[in-house]
């Protein structure tokens, strides 16, 4: 591709084409964005630059990530993720949550959507739901399994493979003295 063809191809990329939502929901996000208390001001800052004194008062939650924000067709994006207006956040949490634990409930929204304090809002949302709490998997810590220190050297050894600089090495450690050997495989 020559430079002008490349520029045309870059200009034709439309973020909303890659948004994993229906056209109806995109329209709902656009409308809610325009009706939001803060997002229309964020759109103006994205398009006209971030005035620090005004920004700190009006659009503070978005100032620290201002270099990651873009706007297209009245939808604000943080990178590839859609910024969800305040009025739609509960609806989006209902759509994206599952009953398989907190980590799984956080994984999908972190890939698709964004809003300030999203993680804490989702944690609170899930924490207040009886069904979610009852099905949450309890992650217990694995107990440390102590081993006996052998009476003599090399009676018990540990071994592992290490790859460094595209070369494989065998590391062998004596449990008695902690002496180790590294041999290239």
């Amino acid at each position: 591709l020559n430079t002008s063809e490349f520029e045309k191809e870059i200009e034709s990329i439309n973020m909303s084409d890659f948004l994993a939502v229906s056209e109806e929901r995109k329209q709902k996000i656009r409308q809610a964005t325009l009706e939001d208390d803060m997002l229309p001001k964020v759109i103006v800052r994205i398009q006209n630059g971030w005035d620090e004194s005004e920004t700190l008062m009006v659009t503070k939650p978005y100032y620290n990530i201002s270099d990651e924000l873009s706007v297209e067709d009245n939808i604000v994006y943080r990178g590839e993720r859609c910024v969800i207006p305040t009025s739609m956040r509960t609806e989006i949490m209902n759509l994206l949550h599952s009953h398989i634990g907190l980590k799984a409930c956080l994984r999908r929204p972190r890939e698709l959507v964004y809003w300030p304090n999203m993680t804490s809002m989702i944690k609170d949302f899930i924490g207040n739901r009886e069904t979610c709490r009852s099905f949450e998997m309890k992650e217990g810590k694995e107990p440390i399994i102590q081993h006996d220190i052998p009476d003599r050297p090399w009676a018990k050894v540990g071994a592992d493979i290490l790859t460094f600089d595209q070369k494989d090495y065998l590391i062998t450690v004596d449990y008695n003295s902690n002496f180790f050997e590294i041999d290239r495989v």
Side-chain angles (χ1 to χ4, degrees):
L1 292 174
N2 64 36
T3 305
S4 66
E5 289 174 357
F6 180 73
E7 288 172 354
K8 287 178 186 175
E9 187 171 328
I10 294 296
E11 289 175 9
S12 69
I13 294 175
N14 187 348
M15 287 297 291
S16 63
D17 290 344
F18 298 102
L19 193 57
V21 297
S22 67
E23 193 57 46
E24 180 184 331
R25 192 165 315 276
K26 284 181 201 176
Q27 183 56 39
K28 195 172 178 182
I29 292 171
R30 276 186 206 101
Q31 189 61 40
T33 297
L34 294 174
E35 294 170 358
D36 193 77
D37 291 337
M38 192 177 299
L39 288 177
K41 296 168 187 157
V42 170
I43 291 173
V44 170
R45 294 295 108 218
I46 292 168
Q47 293 171 337
N48 299 328
W50 293 80
D51 176 17
E52 194 169 330
S53 60
E54 181 184 336
T55 299
L56 290 178
M57 293 185 309
V58 180
T59 56
K60 185 177 180 178
Y62 296 94
Y63 181 72
N64 290 335
I65 58 164
S66 61
D67 58 333
E68 300 175 51
L69 296 176
S70 62
V71 63
E72 185 175 300
D73 200 19
N74 291 323
I75 297 177
V76 179
Y77 294 90
R78 179 181 182 186
E80 296 176 357
R81 299 184 294 165
C82 177
V83 177
I84 302 298
T86 307
S87 63
M88 293 187 66
R89 292 175 185 171
T90 303
E91 175 185 346
I92 296 299
M93 286 189 287
N94 276 319
L95 284 171
L96 294 176
H97 104 281
S98 60
H99 298 288
I100 55 174
L102 179 62
K103 288 182 183 179
C105 286
L106 288 171
R107 189 176 307 118
R108 186 153 167 81
R110 285 177 177 164
E111 294 171 356
L112 300 174
V113 296
Y114 172 80
W115 63 82
N117 300 316
M118 181 177 77
T119 300
S120 62
M121 280 184 73
I122 293 172
K123 285 179 180 179
D124 290 344
F125 178 78
I126 292 167
N128 292 331
R129 298 180 73 130
E130 188 62 39
T131 307
C132 293
R133 283 198 317 253
S134 66
F135 285 106
E136 185 175 48
M137 294 169 39
K138 304 294 182 206
E139 293 182 22
K141 293 184 179 180
E142 288 291 323
I144 296 175
I145 300 173
Q146 299 288 336
H147 63 87
D148 295 329
I149 297 175
D151 296 337
R152 55 188 171 79
W154 301 106
K156 185 174 183 178
V157 296
D160 201 355
I161 300 288
L162 165 75
T163 301
F164 178 73
D165 201 20
Q166 298 181 350
K167 296 177 183 127
D168 294 327
Y169 298 90
L170 175 67
I171 301 174
T172 310
V173 181
D174 172 36
Y175 274 53
N176 177 273
S177 64
N178 288 330
F179 178 81
F180 62 91
E181 289 185 0
I182 300 176
D183 299 302
R184 186 159 178 219
V185 179

